[in-house]
Amino acid sequence: MDASPKFPEYYVLLGIEKTSSTEEIRNAYKRESLRTHPDRLANATPEERKRATERFQAIADAYYVLSDPTRRREYDILLSSRPSSNRSSDPSSSSNFFAEFAKFFSGAAGAGGGDTAGASSSKTSSASKEQPSAKAQGPGVAPDRPNAEFVFTDVFEELLRPEVESRVPWWAWVGAMSGAGIGFIVANLPGAVVGGVAGNRLGAIRDAKGKPVGVVFAQLNRGQKADILKALAIKVLGSI
């Protein structure tokens, strides 16, 4: 019996084909991450939450690897060298993969950085650039493994923003007041109007302390997160 660690089947975890496009990979990540997000499990037991967290992390790992052409190519080479008996779609296999192979990726140095979406977007969001280190934390965690929460908030930033704003409505007012103040510094009313509009846009992205949307979402209580995740599930999955 082969007792060696199993190699993760990331295509299977995301429910996609090996020929899937980058956009299909991104959409698959959205679906699976919403289905497995542990904060949706309001009444879960500790064991159920642990299993959900492990799967949520594995889904983030799969997206991190497959959304970047270079990492995907290197992963495909490794996958093709493994016999089917040494492959697994069990989430636990992903932890073994990052512990053993992450250092071999060409982009391993940036494994925990803000560009968690790989090549899925030509422009890294301002929020993802300023996230705290997106490397997974905790004892026994591979240092180059992506942080599942930051992968999630990076991909869902545009959908998260209005949901978070509706629960933290003073963001926009803080931004508008700051922008208007900038306008008055140049001593003309049009400047104040333009500054207010620009500030309102800025306020839609940050709170009074300058935190990106993803950071604010991470700091919400479990009930607020569950409500937001339900709203996102309706938009993306068509149901909760």
Side-chain angles (χ1 to χ4, degrees), residues 154-227:
D154 182 69
V155 173
F156 278 93
E157 182 189 1
E158 291 185 8
L159 291 175
L160 270 175
R161 185 180 299 147
E163 297 298 336
V164 173
E165 284 179 356
S166 70
R167 291 159 178 81
V168 193
W170 41 268
W171 273 17
W173 291 105
V174 169
M177 288 186 289
S178 300
I182 292 172
F184 277 117
I185 289 175
V186 297
N188 73 57
L189 186 57
V193 173
V194 172
V197 172
N200 191 67
R201 174 66 176 171
L202 179 64
I205 300 175
R206 302 171 181 275
D207 70 359
K209 296 180 181 179
K211 298 175 183 175
V213 171
V215 174
V216 176
F217 174 77
Q219 294 174 344
L220 296 177
N221 63 49
R222 189 170 294 173
Q224 290 173 310
K225 285 184 179 179
D227 287 342

Side-chain angles (χ1 to χ4, degrees), residues 66-236:
L66 300 181
S67 64
D68 177 85
T70 300
R71 289 193 288 265
R72 182 180 183 180
R73 182 169 58 252
E74 292 168 344
Y75 167 81
D76 285 345
I77 292 172
L78 291 170
L79 179 64
S80 65
S81 69
R82 265 43 185 191
S84 57
S85 61
N86 189 235
R87 303 178 187 180
S88 175
S89 58
D90 188 287
S92 63
S93 63
S94 190
S95 176
N96 299 329
F97 172 78
F98 273 86
E100 187 173 355
F101 295 108
K103 61 182 177 292
F104 295 114
F105 280 144
S106 297
D115 189 14
T116 53
S120 62
S121 172
S122 60
K123 181 178 180 182
T124 304
S125 69
S126 59
S128 65
K129 285 181 180 178
E130 299 182 41
Q131 300 282 22
S133 173
K135 291 182 179 179
Q137 304 295 321
V141 176
D144 289 314
R145 197 176 186 186
N147 182 301
E149 285 292 346
F150 287 122
V151 174
F152 181 83
T153 55
D154 182 69
V155 173
F156 278 93
E157 182 189 1
E158 291 185 8
L159 291 175
L160 270 175
R161 185 180 299 147
E163 297 298 336
V164 173
E165 284 179 356
S166 70
R167 291 159 178 81
V168 193
W170 41 268
W171 273 17
W173 291 105
V174 169
M177 288 186 289
S178 300
I182 292 172
F184 277 117
I185 289 175
V186 297
N188 73 57
L189 186 57
V193 173
V194 172
V197 172
N200 191 67
R201 174 66 176 171
L202 179 64
I205 300 175
R206 302 171 181 275
D207 70 359
K209 296 180 181 179
K211 298 175 183 175
V213 171
V215 174
V216 176
F217 174 77
Q219 294 174 344
L220 296 177
N221 63 49
R222 189 170 294 173
Q224 290 173 310
K225 285 184 179 179
D227 287 342
I228 289 175
L229 291 170
K230 286 179 182 178
L232 294 182
I234 291 172
K235 291 179 180 179
V236 175

Side-chain angles (χ1 to χ4, degrees), residues 30-89:
K30 285 183 177 181
R31 292 193 300 271
E32 296 304 316
S33 63
L34 279 174
R35 287 171 179 153
T36 59
H37 200 298
D39 287 319
R40 293 188 65 190
L41 307 176
N43 301 313
T45 65
E47 183 59 31
E48 289 171 335
R49 181 168 289 276
K50 179 182 177 180
R51 288 199 301 269
T53 299
E54 184 177 44
R55 187 168 184 82
F56 181 64
Q57 176 66 57
I59 294 299
D61 295 344
Y63 178 70
Y64 169 78
V65 170
L66 300 181
S67 64
D68 177 85
T70 300
R71 289 193 288 265
R72 182 180 183 180
R73 182 169 58 252
E74 292 168 344
Y75 167 81
D76 285 345
I77 292 172
L78 291 170
L79 179 64
S80 65
S81 69
R82 265 43 185 191
S84 57
S85 61
N86 189 235
R87 303 178 187 180
S88 175
S89 58

